[in-house]
Amino acid sequence: GAAVLAWALLAGALLSLPPVRPQPLPHDDRKVHQREAQFNTTYIDWVDANLLNIYAFNHSVRRNRTEGVRVSVNVLSEQKDQPVLFVVRQKEAVVSFQVPLILRGLYQRKYAYQEVSRTLCQPQTKAEVETQDFYVDVSTLSRNTSYQLRVTRVENFVMRTNERFSFNATAAQPQYFKYEFPEEVDSVIVKVTSAMAFPCSVISIQDILCPVYDLDNNVAFIGMYQTMTKKAAITVQKKDFPSHSFYVVVVVKTEDEACGGALPYYPLSKDASPDEPVDQHNRQKKLEVMVSPAITSEAYVRSVLFCLGIFLSFYILTLLIACWESCRQHKRKGLLAAMDSPSLDTGHSRGVPNSFLNHGPYDSYGYGSFGNGSSSSTEGITDSLGSAEVSYSYVGQEQFKRRTPSAPMRPLSIAMGERSLENVAGRPRLDSLSSVEEDDYDTLADIDYDKNVIRTKQYLCVADLARKDKRVLRKKYQIYFWNIATIAVFYALPVIQLVITYQTVVNVTGNQDICYYNFLCAHPLGNLSAFNNILSNLGYVLLGLLFLLIILQREINYNRALLRNDAHALECGIPKHFGLFYAMGTALMMEGLLSACYHVCPNYTNFQFDTSFMYMIAGLCMLKLYQKRHPDINASAYSAYACLALVIFFSVVGVVFGKGNTAFWIVFSVIHIVATLLLSTQLYYMGRWKLGEGGHCEPGGWRRCGGPLVSPPLSPLPADSGILRRILHVLYTDCVRQCSGPMYVDRMVLLVMGNIINWSLAAYGLIVRPNDFASYLLAIGICNLLLYFAFYIIMKLRSGERIKLIPLLCIISTSVVWGFALFFFFQGLSTWQKTPAESREHNRDCILLDFFDDHDIWHFLSSIAMFGSFLVLLTLDDDLDCVQRDKIYVF
């Protein structure tokens, strides 16, 4: 109770005290000096901590005329620690800045500027003429600081269409100008150029709002912007600006690193503080700006119709050729029926000169794995195979003896001209849809003819490598199409989602350095920044679809021929397998789709979208060319796509880690060379080789043992620690001690040339280490494809075959189109290997219909050239359609 009473008395005493009045602040001795000021007059004055200078300006503002006002100041005293503050008070905006002006660069570097100029944002007026006042306040906390002030009107503040004018800018003296859309213009392109690459600058397009962001540290806050060295171009649409006008802002950056330049030397004396700013002196750039109208909507329609017209004309041309070919076939059948010939036409003369490959005519076949039978005649071979015991002079010969002397044996009739088409029409058709595996069944049973007997002959015909059931091979090659269709779906969907995200980021942020366009010829449509680069890829899709329709028609005709047991379809010509052709057409369409996705926002991170299916196309073309004469031993779809996936993997790794990385280039070059050697061995021996103890041939030259490292495939022995010693021993014996030349001269010539080219490319990559690894990898594939195609053409002509008119025209026209296409490809309108500003130095104006640039023409011509190349592969061997397969040579 006593405690409560004490607290109550204390509270009463406190409440009875009088309130404490606040003490008056000390009297402010600061003086304010205000004066009326005039334009174009230089005021040299001083200010200190006790003085505030105010300069009052007024000027007339007209509704239909905009004049720019520019404030320029220069602090004459060198007191960096206590700057002078300038505040410009306007009707609808306040601009403040200090001098020395401190701007930051990378790694928080500080740069000081003594001379500062700023253009004032002009408020809008509704009256015809209005007088507006603005004030410039000057204050500081330093002692007696002198400065210089000048306010001027900006000439050419409002830009005129198609008129150029020049100006200077620095990091502390940015410039901006106003442009108003004429009534008849819906979009314009703002072009800024400079004779000097550095200092690096930024071009920004901003709406008519106050304040205007015109410093290096805030220019990216609103609007569209891009860095610049010598060229910059931004397409502006009227619909994006409600006032139908905009500001063109030019800012010089404090450092050149964003434009690919080197960082400046940052001097630090022993006594200086690390935070002390550096004076960049006169970092100035002279620029020239021009605003010109962009294309109209009629130009978009005209360009779309032009693009469609070009590629739809190929459909019409194909239809006309198909009709002509159909009429010609009907006339030919009518003549044959009128002649009532009892025998079938077996094709053109198959005479081969004796000088072919320094061998005799192909009327005798040697076996690569046989010693005494290499020069035996056909009759001798047939007779020896029909005997009770067949002996072959090479290690492991017991495995190839006849297992049952009395077993029936189909004679191996391989002599030129001996094989006939009698009773072919009466054979049952085997092309059913029943399930059958490739290794379960062959047209000639493995118990009678082992694969080594066939594939290691010195000279092969297509009949030797077309022994498997058509049902099996049809299913095998159809997998190519279904696999690539699946790959396309799973590959394209995330790609489309990603590039849409890229385009959205560009539109929202306004950062046009994200995408590497040709800005001098980038025509927007909707949310797309460069619609012309996307439209030009339409040719890949349309021509790929046309190729699929051509293949479908050919397959329908072939199946009809099989249904009526046509002898030519069953036993003549190159075996017809259409799965790879379907895969090639699908790949061409996907190349167009993914190239269009890449050009939505081309940059460093998504370049692989534009090249992935190029690798696929090159690989599929090589596989198809090899399949023509080797239908039984071509790679399966799974192994082929696995290899192509590995190529794309190396492409991604090379793009990300390969630039200047010596270790990567060493590893890749080693893998490249080893892969070339393994593939060469596989092709040379038709897959009939093993690394094992059975692979050791007795010395006696390549021609005796068929080359080193040939091993019986039926019972291969595992490799062991002595394999390298045996390889070296065989190479020394067959290539040095008793060298007698290779067994397969044609293949050896091709593989030697291929190894020279690939080893040269590997050496070039290791020495030069090109920055564009994806293009380098694509060049490897294209060089190998061209080498193999040239070899195929040469060997076809040397074998006595001919090239018909349509494939000949395709070869000539495709070669010409490829030449022009590559010319436009190497123009290089942009490159993501450099900074965006440096890439824009390569930008050029449109050259076709004021809509398409050089790269768009590359898209047109390359799509036509690829389509022509596919037609060449499709029709190249049409001259063999009436020639029996045991008369068609393998090379």
Side-chain angles (χ1 to χ4, degrees):
V4 174
L5 181 61
W7 280 108
L9 293 175
L10 179 60
L14 291 175
L15 291 176
S16 62
L17 292 177
V20 179
R21 295 181 180 180
Q23 296 294 326
L25 295 175
H27 179 68
D28 189 359
D29 295 332
R30 195 173 194 182
K31 300 178 181 179
V32 177
H33 180 237
Q34 179 172 337
R35 68 172 71 177
E36 297 293 329
Q38 303 295 325
F39 284 85
N40 300 320
T41 301
T42 301
Y43 295 95
I44 301 176
D45 211 335
W46 64 272
V47 68
D48 60 15
N50 298 320
L51 178 63
L52 172 64
N53 289 333
I54 300 177
Y55 299 86
F57 294 87
N58 63 77
H59 67 121
S60 299
V61 179
R62 293 178 174 82
R63 185 175 58 185
N64 298 327
R65 181 181 178 184
T66 304
E67 291 184 350
V69 177
R70 191 166 179 84
V71 177
S72 302
V73 299
N74 183 15
V75 174
L76 304 179
S77 303
E78 297 184 359
Q79 297 181 3
K80 299 180 181 179
D81 55 337
Q82 295 180 335
V84 179
L85 177 65
F86 293 84
V87 179
V88 181
R89 293 177 286 129
Q90 296 178 265
K91 179 181 178 181
E92 297 179 2
V94 175
V95 178
S96 64
F97 54 89
Q98 69 175 44
V99 181
L101 180 64
I102 305 298
L103 296 176
R104 293 184 180 271
L106 288 177
Y107 312 114
Q108 298 301 315
R109 297 175 179 225
K110 295 181 180 180
Y111 301 97
Y113 300 91
Q114 296 291 121
E115 298 183 15
V116 179
S117 296
R118 303 290 297 276
T119 302
L120 301 184
C121 182
Q122 296 301 306
Q124 300 294 321
T125 179
K126 296 182 179 180
E128 187 68 26
V129 179
E130 180 182 352
T131 300
Q132 293 185 356
D133 298 326
F134 67 92
Y135 303 90
V136 180
D137 301 346
V138 184
S139 60
T140 184
L141 294 179
S142 63
R143 297 179 180 180
N144 197 6
T145 301
S146 59
Y147 61 90
Q148 180 176 300
L149 172 66
R150 182 180 178 88
V151 178
T152 59
R153 290 184 172 88
V154 180
E155 297 181 1
N156 299 319
F157 180 74
V158 179
M159 297 181 293
R160 296 181 175 87
T161 306
N162 290 325
E163 289 188 11
R164 299 176 180 268
F165 71 94
S166 303
F167 58 92
N168 295 325
T170 69
Q173 298 175 350
Q175 299 269 17
Y176 66 85
F177 306 92
K178 183 180 181 181
Y179 180 80
E180 298 175 350
F181 281 96
E183 292 184 1
E184 69 279 3
V185 176
D186 293 326
S187 62
V188 296
I189 179 170
V190 181
K191 301 178 182 178
V192 185
T193 59
S194 176
M196 51 197 303
F198 299 106
C200 177
S201 56
V202 177
I203 310 301
S204 175
I205 304 296
Q206 300 181 20
D207 201 357
I208 306 297
L209 297 172
C210 295
V212 177
Y213 296 93
D214 59 350
L215 290 178
D216 185 23
N217 55 9
N218 61 19
V219 68
F221 285 0
I222 64 171
M224 300 179 291
Y225 64 93
Q226 57 183 230
T227 54
M228 169 192 167
T229 52
K230 292 184 177 181
K231 289 182 182 180
I234 300 179
T235 300
V236 186
Q237 296 179 288
K238 181 189 290 187
K239 64 181 182 63
D240 296 331
F241 296 91
S243 63
H244 295 171
S245 58
F246 58 86
Y247 286 135
V248 179
V249 184
V250 180
V251 178
V252 175
K253 294 185 71 65
T254 58
E255 296 173 342
D256 298 330
E257 191 270 342
C259 294
L263 286 173
Y265 177 65
Y266 199 62
L268 290 176
S269 61
K270 295 182 179 179
D271 300 331
S273 170
D275 295 332
E276 183 177 352
V278 176
D279 189 355
Q280 287 192 316
H281 305 290
N282 189 23
R283 183 178 166 85
Q284 181 174 282
K285 187 168 187 174
K286 185 175 182 180
L287 304 103
E288 186 178 70
V289 63
M290 184 181 73
V291 182
S292 56
I295 62 174
T296 60
S297 57
E298 289 78 8
Y300 282 84
V301 176
R302 184 171 61 250
S303 300
V304 172
L305 293 178
F306 170 80
C307 188
L308 289 174
I310 286 180
F311 298 112
L312 291 180
S313 64
F314 281 87
Y315 283 76
I316 298 174
L317 181 61
T318 302
L319 182 62
L320 293 176
I321 294 176
C323 294
W324 172 75
E325 185 71 17
S326 177
C327 294
R328 193 175 67 87
Q329 292 292 339
H330 284 303
K331 288 182 180 180
R332 182 180 180 185
K333 290 180 179 179
L335 290 175
L336 290 177
M339 294 172 60
D340 194 20
S341 176
S343 61
L344 292 171
D345 180 15
T346 56
H348 55 270
S349 175
R350 300 294 298 164
V352 182
N354 292 339
S355 59
F356 179 66
L357 297 179
N358 297 324
H359 295 289
Y362 277 22
D363 56 355
S364 63
Y365 276 62
Y367 289 76
S369 296
F370 300 85
N372 301 329
S374 61
S375 60
S376 61
S377 65
T378 303
E379 292 79 12
I381 296 174
T382 307
D383 294 340
S384 64
L385 287 173
S387 63
E389 292 288 333
V390 181
S391 177
Y392 304 113
S393 300
Y394 73 102
V395 178
Q397 59 189 358
E398 294 79 13
Q399 299 180 35
F400 291 92
K401 293 180 180 179
R402 290 287 304 274
R403 297 172 183 169
T404 56
S406 61
M409 173 70 73
R410 179 180 176 182
L412 182 65
S413 303
I414 58 175
M416 297 297 102
E418 291 184 1
R419 191 170 185 176
S420 66
L421 296 177
E422 297 178 359
N423 300 324
V424 167
R427 297 177 185 174
R429 181 172 177 263
L430 299 176
D431 192 14
S432 67
L433 298 179
S434 60
S435 176
V436 61
E437 296 298 330
E438 180 181 350
D439 295 332
D440 292 345
Y441 182 81
D442 285 336
T443 56
L444 299 180
D446 285 339
I447 191 171
D448 295 328
Y449 300 100
D450 187 85
K451 294 177 182 179
N452 272 24
V453 178
I454 300 298
R455 298 183 191 175
T456 57
K457 292 190 300 184
Q458 185 175 1
Y459 303 114
L460 288 169
C461 60
V462 171
D464 296 326
L465 298 179
R467 304 165 60 232
K468 293 181 179 178
D469 185 7
K470 293 189 297 295
R471 298 172 298 171
V472 177
L473 294 182
R474 180 180 180 181
K475 290 178 179 293
K476 173 181 177 180
Y477 293 122
Q478 279 180 341
I479 296 176
Y480 274 96
F481 168 70
W482 292 114
N483 277 12
I484 201 170
T486 306
I487 292 171
V489 172
F490 282 93
Y491 196 100
L493 290 179
V495 167
I496 294 173
Q497 181 181 6
L498 180 63
V499 296
I500 290 176
T501 302
Y502 269 118
Q503 185 66 71
T504 303
V505 170
V506 172
N507 296 339
V508 171
T509 64
N511 183 6
Q512 299 201 357
D513 282 353
I514 297 176
C515 306
Y516 287 72
Y517 304 117
N518 175 19
F519 287 91
L520 291 177
C521 187
H523 304 297
L525 181 66
N527 291 327
L528 300 174
S529 299
F531 173 70
N532 55 303
N533 293 149
I534 299 172
L535 176 64
S536 59
N537 288 282
L538 183 63
Y540 296 105
V541 179
L542 292 180
L543 294 181
L545 178 61
L546 176 59
F547 185 73
L548 291 178
L549 294 177
I550 293 173
I551 298 303
L552 179 61
Q553 178 62 29
R554 282 217 168 195
E555 186 178 19
I556 292 174
N557 292 338
Y558 178 69
N559 290 335
R560 288 175 179 173
L562 292 179
L563 286 174
R564 61 176 181 266
N565 289 326
D566 186 277
H568 290 148
L570 289 170
E571 294 291 334
C572 293
I574 298 296
K576 302 296 190 296
H577 301 295
F578 299 98
L580 270 169
F581 280 129
Y582 282 119
M584 290 162 56
T586 306
L588 183 58
M589 296 179 66
M590 286 305 303
E591 171 59 30
L593 175 62
L594 292 180
S595 178
C597 290
Y598 166 71
H599 284 91
V600 170
C601 182
N603 57 46
Y604 165 83
T605 58
N606 60 13
F607 180 65
Q608 77 172 80
F609 302 160
D610 196 25
T611 56
S612 295
F613 274 82
M614 290 184 183
Y615 303 137
M616 293 254 185
I617 290 173
L620 291 174
C621 287
M622 281 189 282
L623 286 170
K624 185 59 192 178
L625 205 56
Y626 187 78
Q627 183 207 54
K628 282 178 171 288
R629 310 270 172 156
H630 311 78
D632 284 2
I633 60 175
N634 205 21
S636 67
Y638 306 112
S639 58
Y641 287 130
C643 292
L644 291 173
L646 190 62
V647 170
I648 296 175
F649 170 77
F650 275 111
S651 173
V652 174
V653 173
V655 169
V656 177
F657 303 106
K659 191 173 182 180
N661 191 334
T662 304
F664 168 80
W665 281 100
I666 292 175
V667 172
F668 175 77
S669 299
V670 171
I671 293 175
H672 183 191
I673 292 173
V674 171
T676 301
L677 292 175
L678 291 176
L679 183 60
S680 300
T681 307
Q682 182 75 7
L683 294 177
Y684 186 78
Y685 293 110
M686 299 283 187
R688 310 313 299 163
W689 66 285
K690 296 286 184 180
L691 286 178
E693 293 183 0
H696 175 65
C697 295
E698 293 184 357
W702 290 10
R703 199 173 297 278
R704 279 189 57 187
C705 61
L709 310 182
V710 177
S711 171
L714 297 180
S715 58
L717 297 176
D720 52 34
S721 59
I723 185 65
L724 181 60
R725 184 180 69 253
R726 292 196 298 276
I727 291 176
L728 295 176
H729 176 71
V730 172
L731 291 176
Y732 170 75
T733 303
D734 289 351
C735 300
V736 178
R737 185 177 177 183
Q738 298 178 2
C739 183
S740 58
M743 174 69 72
Y744 315 113
V745 179
D746 307 333
R747 280 178 256 168
M748 180 58 68
V749 171
L750 170 65
L751 295 175
V752 168
M753 294 178 61
N755 275 268
I756 291 174
I757 291 177
N758 281 277
W759 284 53
S760 300
L761 289 172
Y764 171 81
L766 189 59
I767 296 172
V768 179
R769 285 175 285 181
N771 292 329
D772 190 356
F773 180 79
S775 297
Y776 166 77
L777 197 59
L778 183 62
I780 294 176
I782 293 176
C783 287
N784 284 276
L785 174 60
L786 292 178
L787 172 65
Y788 189 28
F789 182 74
F791 172 82
Y792 192 94
I793 294 292
I794 293 172
M795 294 303 300
K796 180 177 177 67
L797 296 176
R798 291 189 64 188
S799 301
E801 301 172 9
R802 62 187 178 90
I803 300 177
K804 298 180 73 174
L805 179 61
I806 290 181
L808 181 61
L809 291 177
C810 288
I811 291 174
I812 296 174
S813 59
T814 300
S815 301
V816 173
V817 174
W818 269 124
F820 283 104
L822 291 175
F823 169 78
F824 287 102
F825 174 76
F826 287 113
Q827 294 304 304
L829 302 181
S830 61
T831 171
W832 47 261
Q833 302 175 52
K834 300 180 180 179
T835 62
E838 291 175 310
S839 173
R840 276 185 278 273
E841 295 181 15
H842 303 279
N843 289 176
R844 296 182 186 175
D845 293 321
C846 304
I847 62 173
L848 179 63
L849 302 177
D850 291 329
F851 193 84
F852 299 109
D853 60 15
D854 299 71
H855 197 74
D856 294 324
I857 298 178
W858 150 255
H859 287 159
F860 291 145
L861 296 180
S862 63
S863 61
I864 295 172
M866 286 186 184
F867 176 70
S869 302
F870 289 1
L871 291 182
V872 170
L873 291 177
L874 178 64
T875 61
L876 185 58
D877 290 316
D878 282 355
D879 61 304
L880 304 176
D881 284 347
C882 296
V883 180
Q884 301 173 45
R885 289 171 188 165
D886 55 1
K887 294 182 181 180
I888 303 174
Y889 307 128
V890 172
F891 41 77

